[in-house]
Amino acid sequence: MTIQVQNVTKRFGTFEALNGVNLDIQPGELVALLGPSGSGKTTLLRVIAGLEQPDSGRILFNGEDTTDTRVQEREVGFVFQHYALFRHMSIFENVAFGLRVRPRATRPPEAEIKRRVMELLKLVQLDWLADRYPHQLSGGQRQRIALARALAIEPKVLLLDEPFGALDAKVRKELRRWLRRLHDEINLTSVFVTHDQEEALEVADRVVVVNHGRIEQVGTPEEIYDHPATPFVYQFIGNVNLFEGRVHNGVAHISSGEIHAPEHLDVADAPATAYVRPHEIDIANGPDPDTVAATLNHTTKLGAMVRLELARRDNGALVEVELPRERFDHLNMATGNVVYFRPRRARVFLAADRGTQVA
Amino acid sequence: MAAIYPPSPVPAAVVRTRSARKSIKWIPILLVGIALFYLALFLFVPLAAVFFEAFKKGAGFYWDAIREPDAWSAVKLTLLAAAIAVPLNLIFGVAAAWAIAKFDFRFKSVLITLIDLPFSVSPVISGLIYVLIFGLQGWVGPWLHEHDIKIIFAVPGIVLATIFVTFPFVARELIPLMQAQGREEEEAAAVLGASGWQTLWYVTLPNVKWGLLYGVILCNARAMGEFGAVSVVSGHIRGATNTLPLHVEILYNEYAFAAAFACASLLAFLALITLAIKSVVEARQHKEHRK
């Protein structure tokens, strides 16, 4: 089923949670809404679910306007961050709830409810817990039960709010791989909210980066990581170094260094910032017109990579560099040495463009 | 710390610890002693006195005092007032708590203040308000008189006054509990297709059942023991508009001390039973909370 979000705006008092959001989600996709806290990603998910009413704009399921459809009739599966299992009901009853509350005409017979619930509990590999109560389960188990409960009503879409947010790191990794496999198996259009970029990039087919109630970029994990569309996405996804400078006819000047910025050929002179990932910086053998002098502060060896912390000689700003171990050994540097670094690849954003779409 | 000071046979820090430990020993004894003395003076002694005075003239006299028709009618009226007031306030309390804890609307704080009103107004004033509204000199009194409807100095007035003074109990007990539980389970139920009634019945109420029972117990205790408000609207007609607390007062004023204490002991019994149920409920509630 397709989900279309059209020009949705939502305010809470004076706080603008969503500001004219447009988004199309294709059938069978697994989409991540990624953003810092307060960016509006959870509000967007709740608006899609029908738990919040947008102030303006529309939500379409399969091209049909569902903006005014009540949450009870929207047929969405929703998994809450803190599971929201019914604490006084057994696991079996939790999963059966969505079937039991149906009007008599559409309610399946008892035997059918039992069969469906046990099938779902097997799907989440927890059928042996049917008679337990939520408080007797671990966080990861509760989350899987919450998912089984959401699937029991055979929803058209599955919405998950920070599904792994409250779990410890190890369980989290296992569960998100499991969620990815489960999605490939049942192929249900799914949207999940997360503030963890690693989670979004690993699990989702497409990532939607949200900030200040607006969508910054929509793309596959590769697109988002390799070609960030805005300075915000650059900074939010992965580590990045910022070099302030000016652009002259397609060349960005940062202190003594120069970076080619062919996308700004027509800019005569403007303040700009170059965004460079740590692994896109190389250490030169000696001073060159396109290098910047810096002091080596600190090195950290991370397996096959070495992370260097440099302090620029001209303004003291810290620069993070990641070198392959071999390259580092070859350079033969020691802490306190003066080194010359050269950005191999950079993305230059004009100061005037910051915060808007440049791609 | 000790190293800074010049060496001395007993380091200063050790001395301080020892005196602190000594003071710790007698402080709890003193505090517990004060608490027990206070409890004995103001609770246990009066309670014992009630039963002592009640049985002073023997068990036979005690039974006669309770079975006496006016006393019996007072018991029945007290039970009737509670039987009407408690269910009504149960429904109102659940509705008010559900609205306040699970929904956002304007003037919510006004509603919360209004619920507290009977706590902040003197019961005598509450009774007086009903007299001013329904009494012969009141707003609707003359109209009621014309249609031969009696509210003041009659059973309806007593029931109304009892409802008024007891209506915060259930709501006050449920609101913080429901607020602490949040709205996620209700939202989950809604997404799964449950209607408002189904959500209330299958999700919200089971989660607050012990708190609800606790509120009902307190409400009932107050409904049966209420004196001030009921006294103003009752008119003290023996065998007709006397509740148990009012009957005790009349007997006492007539110097029928033993009979007064016999009836008072019924209320004391009620208090003790309430206390027992209350502690059971509290224990269950505590257990549920730890889950």
Side-chain angles (χ1 to χ4, degrees), chain B residues 203-219:
Chain B
V203 177
T204 308
L205 285 183
N207 276 343
V208 298
K209 57 177 187 270
W210 293 110
L212 185 65
L213 188 53
Y214 187 80
V216 166
I217 291 166
L218 289 182
C219 182

Side-chain angles (χ1 to χ4, degrees), chain B residues 113-123 126 164-168 222:
Chain B
T113 313
L114 276 178
I115 289 172
D116 276 342
L117 192 67
F119 277 165
S120 48
V121 172
S122 154
S126 329
F164 182 81
V165 291
T166 57
F167 91 58
R222 179 67 190 265

Side-chain angles (χ1 to χ4, degrees), chain B residues 97-111:
Chain B
W98 162 269
I100 287 167
K102 309 288 179 183
F103 298 93
D104 291 313
F105 52 92
R106 294 176 71 189
F107 307 117
K108 192 154 134 177
S109 54
V110 176
L111 181 60

